[in-house]
Structures are given as C-alpha cells and as structure tokens.
Amino acid sequence: MQVRRRASGDTTADATPGDWRGPGPHRVPWYRRALPGRAARAAVDAVAMGAALLIATLLRHDGHVAEVDFLGLVVLSAVAAVVHTGAGIHFGLYTGRWAYGCFEEIAALVRTAVTTVPAVLALDTVLGRLVPRSAIIAAGLFALVLTAGVRYLVRSLQDSRLRPSPEHGGRVVVMGAGEGATQVIRAMLRSPRSRYVPVALLDDDPAKRTFRVMGVPVCGTRDDMADVVRRFKADAVVIAIPSAGADLIRALTALAEPLNVDLKVVPPVVELFGRTVRVEDIRPVSHEDLLGRREVGIDLAAVAGYLEGRRVLVTGAGGSIGSELCRQLARFHPAKLVMLDRDESGLHAVQLSIDGRGQLDDRNLVVADIRDQQRLDEVFAEHKPHVVFHAAALKHLPLLEMHPSEALKTNIIGTYQILQTAMRHNVDRLVNISTDKAADPCSVLGYSKRITERLTAAADAAATGTYCSVRFGNVLGSRGSVLTAFAAQVEAGGPITVTHPDVTRYFMTVQEAVRLVIQAGACESKGEVLILDMGEPVRIADVAKRIADAADQHIQIVYTGLRPAEKLAEVLLGPNETDHRPHHPLISQAPVPPLDGAVLSLLDPSSPREDLIAVLHWLADSPALPKSPHPVFAGKQRRAESAAAAVPFGRHP
C-alpha cells in the first residue's frame, strides 16, 4: 500500500487514510457517506415489515377491515420494525458486510426473519394480543419476500445501468457455459464501457440447452458456431474454458477461422492460479494455446508442505525456466526466495515481475556463477537454503556440439558443485532440471544432462535429504524456443527454416512445466529421474505452416536438413526406463544408475573435441559404477582431499 506523502503547503495530507477526497471542504468521513445508504435500507425493511403485518392481518380476517385493530397493528408494526432492525444489525444487513442483493445478504435476511418472528410473538403476548398469532407468522414470510424483492429490483436496476450497449462494444459469442464463462460474462456485463457484449453462448453439454447466464442464452453446440455467429452478427468468439486443452483450442480455432471473426481465449487454469477470470484476461489465441495447453492438477497441500515457510534457492533464476519458477514459488510464501544467476539483467527482470520494483537492493538477488565453487559456498553459508531448484544450464544443442568443453564446465561440473555444496550445507531437497535430450542421448547436450541425472542419483544415495532430477521437453516461450525463432523469421520477412518435414517435438508451456516441476519436488523418490508427461509430440512443419499462414505477408518454408546429433523425434523415456507413475498421473519415475563424482577427474576441458565427446558418451551410457570413497559422496576426509586434487579446476575442496 502506498502512503500519500505530505507536500509543502498540503493541508490535505492529514486526512484519515481512506477518507481523502481532495482539499478542504470536500473531505467527508466514511460514516457520513455510508450511514445514509444503510439507514435507507433499514427504513425500507421496516416499512416492508409493517406492510407484511397489515397484509397478513387482512388475510387473517378475510379482508374485513372493520375487524382489524389498527391501533394495535400500528403499535406492533413499530415493535416489529425495531426488532427486525436490531436483528438485521446483528446479522450484518446494515453494517456493509456484503454487496447489496447478493446471496449472502439474502441468507442474512432469512436469519433475520427467523429471529424476528418468535421475538414479535413473545412481545405481542406481553402487549395483550394486538394481532392474531397466525398473522405474525405469515407476516414473517411476507416480509422476507418483500425485502428480498426490493433487493432484487434494485440489483436488477443497477445491473441494467452497468450493462454495456452493443453499439459501443463488440458482439461476442462465448464458447462454454461453465464457471469460467459465468465469470467472463459477469465481468463483461458489469462495465458500461466493456469492449465486449455477450450475445449468445455455445456449449456441448445437452443439459445446458436451455441454460442462461445473466440473460445470455445457450444457443447450440460448437457445431452451431457458424449459424449463431451469423444470426447474432457477432464480431468475435471467446473460448471461455480455462481448463480447455490444446486439442479443443485447435478444434474450435478451425471452426472459427472461416467465419471472419476475431477469436479470443481466456487464460488456462495454470495462469489464473485460483483467481477469477477478468475482462482484461481475454486475449487472442496464441501458439502456446494451440500447442501446449493442458490442465495441470497440483497437490497444493503437498507442495506447500515443503515450500511454505522454507528457504528456497533457484539457480539460473534469470532464465525462462528459472524466472517462472521464482514467480510460482513466491506464491507458496517461502520464508526466503534466493534467486541466483550470473546474468544481472535477468535478475532485474525477474524481480520486476515478482514485486514490481526491480530496485536490485535485495540480498536475495545473488549474482554468481555455478562454476565458481568458492562463491557457491559463500551463498549457501549466507542463505542456508532448505530447498534448491537447479535450473542453470547451457541448452542449445548445436552450440554445445561445437563447444563441448562448455557443456562440461557448466552443465556437468557446475551441477556437481551445486550437489556438493547442497550436501555440505544440509539442503533437505534438491531438484535438478534435466531435458528429454538425456533420454537415450546422442548429443553433447544429452550426454551432459544424462551425466547430471546420474550425479544427482549418487548424491541422493549419500545425502540425508531428497535429491532428484526432472526431465521434460521443449518449453514454449523460453529463450531459444522454436516459436521465438519462427516469430523472428516472420518479422524479418522469412523464410521460416525447418530442419525436416517429419521432425516432431514435445511441447509444454513454461507455466505448465514449472507447475509440474514444483509438484515433482514434493514426490518421494530414490534418486530417480521424474519425467513430465508432455502429451503427444507435434510436427514442427505443421507449426511452421500455421505461423506462416497467420502472417500478413507470404512466408516461405525452407527445409534445411537435420543438424549433427539432432534426432528426428525426441523420446522422454530411455530404452530401459518404464512409464511408472506412483505419485502423480503426469509424472513418471524411472531409476537412474548413479555415477560417482570421482570419475570427473577423467574429464579435461582442454582435450580434443572428439576425445571429450567420446568420454562424455561413455560416462552417460556406462553402467552404475561401484561406490568410491569421494569427499562428499562417501565423506572420508583423507581420500576426499586426494580425489579433489585430481578433479580439474580445483573445484572440490
């Protein structure tokens, strides 16, 4: 919350927070603004109570006015009004607890009526039976109907004044008649300046054929989209199904394309993170929606159990995966969220996205290189993390094929040093981010990440905490993503380059991937690799064609051929790995043969490229090596020193 600063000569700065309305005479206390409206509500309810007593008494006497004791009726009406008002105050009717005419207020009206009737019956007995008892009981029901009716009428008038005009906003057909569509329509119809005016709904559920949401009718199923759009002269179709998967989005997109209407969509559940849908959330369908959108369930209790109130450290926090990890982890209220990266601009961007400040004045922002062992020890000693997410890595396959020594230094040695440091500082849980290239690897990137999976498995066997790897495929929207590359090629006028007409890849949005990574961190594992279900693989040529067709100009597609060490189709499971999902329907768990870190002494970054790749290949594919007394993995100090001296860079203390 921001506090309004006192300016020189500013006499309004002393206003009570919440009461500031401008200079001098325009400042009005909140109670003077609120009380007239609440008093009017109480007065209307009191009049309704008196009218209900009159109607009930007349009905009791079959309409014979001469038989009615009007003096007694007036006295009891006044008594009933006082009792009703007191009960209403007690139950929150006149204290501003709810919006006028909402369901909660109607429930409070019922409680008020139930309390008022017995009290008035008792007082009527004390006062000498001013009206028949049956009339008092009936008056309670009549008063409830009258007071609720007044609220419904006022609420309807308010809604009608807020309802936008089709002349000022685009006419919209909404696909879906569930909770998401209800939230969207309510938001659209509560603003006179709304850009969208819903005119019809479509839903495939036969039970909703006569359904209406705030007066907007269901007019058919998705197959009726063309007829409904023409009948209502709609300008846009909004897919208001937050749980819709990529298959459904693609199907609805295909139906809407020939209709010459704008196609909009609400964000998926994973982006909403439990909040309601707003008009501002409506956006054009993106390629991420068409390729990687799925509903990802998450066990919030399990995740909060290992994150809430704990100190969490993320390496590679400035990258696409690391930054999204930080944004989602922050929602679980860790005691401390330490963001580590060697890219200061990336750290600035992720801080800005989380707290909106980006002042770079927080000790939890750490500029460090995972290849620097001394710096890692300093960071872990200062922040003492309980949980570590290791996302820092080099990931571009062609570059690492040319420069395998960099994969060794960052992906392998860097990860090994993170594991060592985590164990020395008693980290409870570590999640190593891997890639589908590590499944049956045939590239430097794949070899290096498979080796990190094996090093993590060895660390888990020796550590008191839980250390695991998480493996998944291409992440849409990440730096280096195929969509980013294609968009840049279209911006440059083309052509779009595709390696092979039949190449396929798995895709997942960065939000979905990170959500599952966080869930995977809660799974019990024994040094296993946890493999995220990526859905069905997608032909890259189809993606390129869709992007080219959507461009404003003609874009050519050129096939360049597979690059060295590049697969035609990626796999998520290696040859000896089974699809075993004991803890989560979208997370497989496969055992990993551990690799003792002492063998890293065999690796020399100055070796010839071909020799280094051959050693990486051997370490990635070799069977589990026997346990050896290594400094961290075995804990024997003397042999630790000799093993550390043998490993390059002087990395191992």
Side-chain angles (χ1 to χ4, degrees):
M1 182 180 72
Q2 293 183 341
V3 179
R4 186 172 181 269
R5 294 181 181 274
R6 179 194 297 269
S8 178
D10 185 0
T11 60
T12 64
D14 294 326
T16 304
D19 296 340
W20 188 76
R21 285 294 182 276
H26 299 288
R27 191 168 62 245
V28 180
W30 69 269
Y31 55 86
R32 290 182 59 185
R33 298 193 306 273
L35 285 181
R38 297 176 187 177
R41 295 184 191 183
V44 169
D45 290 348
V47 171
M49 190 69 207
L53 267 174
L54 174 61
I55 294 170
T57 304
L58 287 173
L59 290 175
R60 171 64 179 79
H61 292 291
D62 295 328
H64 299 311
V65 177
E67 298 179 10
V68 177
D69 180 3
F70 282 99
L71 179 60
L73 181 61
V74 169
V75 172
L76 194 61
S77 295
V79 170
V82 171
V83 173
H84 191 276
T85 302
I89 293 173
H90 175 73
F91 290 116
L93 280 178
Y94 314 120
T95 59
R97 192 175 298 177
W98 303 289
Y100 192 65
C102 68
F103 178 81
E104 290 84 357
E105 190 182 39
I106 300 302
L109 270 177
V110 173
R111 291 193 292 271
T112 300
V114 169
T115 302
T116 300
V117 169
V120 173
L121 280 171
L123 291 171
D124 180 60
T125 301
V126 172
L127 294 173
R129 300 280 182 87
L130 301 177
V131 297
R133 289 188 173 182
S134 58
I136 297 175
I137 296 173
L141 296 174
F142 294 157
L144 180 60
V145 172
L146 289 173
T147 53
V150 169
R151 282 164 171 77
Y152 174 79
L153 178 61
V154 172
R155 185 68 177 266
S156 297
L157 291 174
Q158 289 175 344
D159 289 346
S160 64
R161 286 200 304 269
L162 293 175
R163 200 178 187 98
S165 169
E167 286 73 24
H168 298 96
R171 300 169 68 87
V172 170
V173 172
V174 178
M175 183 66 214
E179 181 59 29
T182 300
Q183 294 175 10
V184 167
I185 291 174
R186 183 177 292 116
M188 289 177 179
L189 296 181
R190 290 287 172 82
S191 172
R193 298 182 180 180
S194 174
R195 295 173 295 164
Y196 309 104
V197 180
V199 293
L201 289 162
L202 298 173
D203 198 284
D204 292 338
D205 185 355
K208 294 182 178 179
R209 293 295 171 84
T210 59
F211 193 67
R212 285 176 176 262
V213 177
M214 296 189 70
V216 182
V218 173
C219 297
T221 66
R222 73 173 81 174
D223 297 328
D224 302 310
M225 183 183 294
D227 292 337
V228 172
V229 165
R230 282 192 291 268
R231 190 196 325 166
F232 288 92
K233 300 178 181 178
D235 305 304
V237 173
V238 174
I239 303 173
I241 310 173
S243 61
D247 291 340
L248 178 57
I249 299 291
R250 286 195 293 267
L252 295 175
T253 300
L255 290 172
E257 279 179 348
L259 304 180
N260 193 30
V261 293
D262 291 333
L263 186 63
K264 308 286 185 179
V265 70
V266 298
V269 172
V270 66
E271 291 183 26
L272 293 172
F273 208 79
R275 66 173 174 80
T276 58
V277 184
R278 302 168 302 191
V279 172
E280 294 78 11
D281 293 321
I282 299 173
R283 55 171 172 76
V285 175
S286 66
H287 297 294
E288 286 83 354
D289 295 318
L290 296 170
L291 294 177
R293 196 181 209 213
R294 289 188 301 167
E295 182 176 8
V296 176
I298 187 169
D299 185 348
L300 293 175
V303 169
Y306 85 97
L307 292 177
E308 190 171 354
R310 312 295 299 283
R311 295 184 294 275
V312 182
L313 183 145
V314 178
T315 71
S320 49
I321 298 293
S323 60
E324 182 62 26
L325 260 172
C326 293
R327 282 186 287 272
Q328 293 201 26
L329 289 170
R331 295 167 177 166
F332 290 100
H333 309 294
K336 179 187 288 190
L337 178 58
V338 183
M339 296 174 278
L340 183 150
D341 203 295
R342 65 181 181 180
D343 179 4
E344 58 183 357
S345 297
L347 288 176
H348 179 263
V350 69
Q351 186 193 35
L352 193 62
S353 69
I354 291 176
D355 63 15
R357 297 187 312 113
Q359 296 297 309
L360 297 178
D361 57 356
D362 190 340
R363 290 290 298 175
N364 292 335
L365 293 176
V366 178
V367 178
D369 192 332
I370 63 170
R371 291 153 67 157
D372 185 342
Q373 179 63 71
Q374 180 179 350
R375 181 73 176 117
L376 289 179
D377 278 316
E378 292 172 355
V379 172
F380 276 67
E382 176 182 353
H383 296 284
K384 298 179 175 58
H386 298 110
V387 181
V388 172
F389 288 89
H390 176 46
L394 299 176
K395 62 182 181 180
H396 288 281
L397 186 149
L399 288 176
L400 295 184
E401 286 299 312
M402 291 190 292
H403 310 291
S405 62
E406 295 305 307
L408 167 61
K409 295 174 188 176
T410 297
N411 291 2
I412 299 175
I413 299 297
T415 298
Y416 183 51
Q417 293 186 158
I418 289 289
L419 292 168
Q420 287 189 49
T421 312
M423 295 177 69
R424 276 196 301 275
H425 292 272
N426 301 313
V427 168
D428 294 336
R429 195 173 293 263
L430 184 144
V431 178
N432 169 46
I433 306 297
S434 187
T435 170
D436 58 355
K437 307 294 189 297
D440 194 17
C442 65
S443 64
V444 170
L445 173 59
Y447 299 148
S448 67
K449 298 303 283 185
R450 178 58 174 173
I451 291 170
T452 66
E453 290 180 356
R454 300 187 63 183
L455 292 172
T456 304
D460 182 77
T464 56
T466 299
Y467 290 55
C468 66
S469 297
V470 178
R471 181 192 299 167
F472 52 90
N474 296 275
V475 174
L476 297 169
S478 66
R479 284 192 266 181
S481 166
V482 65
L483 291 186
T484 306
F486 286 172
Q489 290 174 336
V490 169
E491 184 71 20
I496 292 177
T497 56
V498 180
T499 55
H500 192 282
D502 296 323
V503 69
T504 61
R505 291 292 182 266
Y506 291 97
F507 287 104
M508 179 179 280
T509 66
V510 64
Q511 293 86 3
E512 293 162 345
V514 165
R515 198 168 171 86
L516 278 177
V517 166
I518 294 173
Q519 177 66 68
C523 294
E524 293 299 322
S525 65
K526 300 293 183 181
E528 297 164 309
V529 58
L530 285 72
I531 304 136
L532 307 188
D533 186 336
M534 303 285 293
E536 295 299 321
V538 177
R539 288 181 73 246
I540 300 299
D542 294 340
V543 178
K545 183 178 184 304
R546 187 178 295 115
I547 292 176
D549 291 343
D552 296 332
Q553 56 185 314
H554 174 70
I555 299 295
Q556 185 181 7
I557 298 176
V558 175
Y559 296 99
T560 60
L562 291 174
R563 294 168 292 190
E566 190 173 32
K567 296 178 182 178
L568 190 65
E570 297 288 359
V571 295
L572 292 169
L573 294 166
N576 299 317
E577 294 174 342
T578 58
D579 191 358
H580 179 54
R581 310 186 184 197
H583 297 296
H584 194 280
L586 295 179
I587 302 175
S588 302
Q589 295 183 215
V592 178
L595 181 67
D596 194 308
V599 302
L600 299 185
S601 61
L602 300 173
L603 299 171
D604 183 356
S606 63
S607 300
R609 174 179 172 277
E610 292 76 10
D611 293 346
L612 182 55
I613 293 176
V615 176
L616 292 177
H617 187 180
W618 175 73
L619 287 178
D621 291 344
S622 64
L625 299 179
K627 293 182 180 179
S628 101
H630 189 261
V632 175
F633 298 116
K636 295 183 178 179
Q637 185 62 31
R638 289 185 179 178
R639 301 189 65 175
E641 294 172 358
S642 61
V647 179
F649 321 125
R651 299 293 180 182
H652 314 301

